[in-house]
Amino acid sequence: MEGLCMLLKRFAYPCRYGDMIPLFGRPVPVICMITNHVLDFIYNNHSMLITEWNNSLLRPNLLEVYANAVHQKGAALQNCFGFIDGTVRPIAKPGVNQRIVYNGHKRVHSLKFQSVVIPNGMIAHLYGPVEGKRHDSGMLGDSGLLRDLEQHAFSTLHDPMCMYGDPAYPHRVHLQSPFREAVLTDDMKLFNASMSACRISVEWLFGDVINYFKFLDYKKNLKIGMSSVGKMYVVCAILRNALTCLYGNQTSEYFQLEPPTLEEYFI
């Protein structure tokens, strides 16, 4: 419990290990070793909850519940159970291979992650980190998520269920994106508008992770090769899911869906 408190204190706000001595009464080397050990423990034992297809969150009967919640909010699709998007997390400028991690769109050195968000406010799937210059469609192919969808994304009646993403993603049976024609009809515009209003929930979840764990927003201390930057984000996403299980979040309130309990999530 003390180790978990040290990790949460470290991630809650940018701070030095020395600043934690008055609170925990331990020297800097000990605090450093404990926080790194707890970080590794959470990642090694629980990362599969979001890096692999999680059956406790994505069972066929639950996919139908998610799709109904999305459709009731005005979405045009009736079988959309979640939303996919990529997020760019700035890091300190590395000493070598700077071009590999440079994101020209955001104009920062960064790592990228791909997240799947479901209407109960949980991050159902997370892939990454990858280099900052990688395109969202490239991450999708490398993640193997489409393969998982083709195998598992079906309702109890074996009808295909889908996710919705931005225009960077291709059209597939299990993955939908906005119409991108040069001239859009009125129906196409209504479809895009209705789905875009629901897809904003992805951005809320990205913001939640950073708002609760502000250490991830201090890029000067996120130095690849010197700290486990990618592992930190994965662990913070798991901890954000745990907080959602306890208290809910803006996404679960918007779709009026209760998240699972801690016991159900970490089973």
Side-chain angles (χ1 to χ4, degrees), residues 54-74:
N54 185 2
N55 289 327
S56 66
L57 288 176
L58 299 171
R59 293 193 297 267
N61 61 315
L62 292 178
L63 296 185
E64 294 178 348
V65 174
Y66 304 151
N68 289 334
V70 173
H71 185 58
Q72 288 176 2
K73 279 298 180 180

Side-chain angles (χ1 to χ4, degrees), residues 157-171:
L157 299 176
H158 301 289
D159 296 323
M161 308 296 286
C162 73
M163 299 185 306
Y164 186 81
D166 61 27
Y169 294 100
H171 280 284

Side-chain angles (χ1 to χ4, degrees), residues 113-201:
F113 296 84
Q114 173 186 276
S115 296
V116 175
V117 175
I118 49 182
N120 62 359
M122 302 289 285
I123 300 174
H125 191 274
L126 182 71
Y127 174 73
V130 299
E131 57 272 24
K133 70 174 184 179
R134 186 72 65 86
H135 192 266
D136 286 353
S137 60
M139 278 200 299
L140 176 66
D142 293 342
S143 67
L145 183 60
L146 280 178
R147 181 186 64 250
D148 290 334
L149 290 171
E150 292 170 356
Q151 294 176 355
H152 303 290
F154 294 92
S155 68
T156 54
L157 299 176
H158 301 289
D159 296 323
M161 308 296 286
C162 73
M163 299 185 306
Y164 186 81
D166 61 27
Y169 294 100
H171 280 284
R172 297 290 186 272
V173 173
H174 298 281
L175 178 61
Q176 299 294 312
S177 58
F179 288 102
R180 299 186 287 267
E181 282 75 5
V183 179
L184 297 178
T185 66
D186 290 339
D187 288 340
M188 290 178 178
K189 293 178 181 178
L190 287 174
F191 175 90
N192 288 353
S194 68
M195 296 306 301
S196 177
C198 293
R199 199 187 70 84
I200 193 65
S201 61

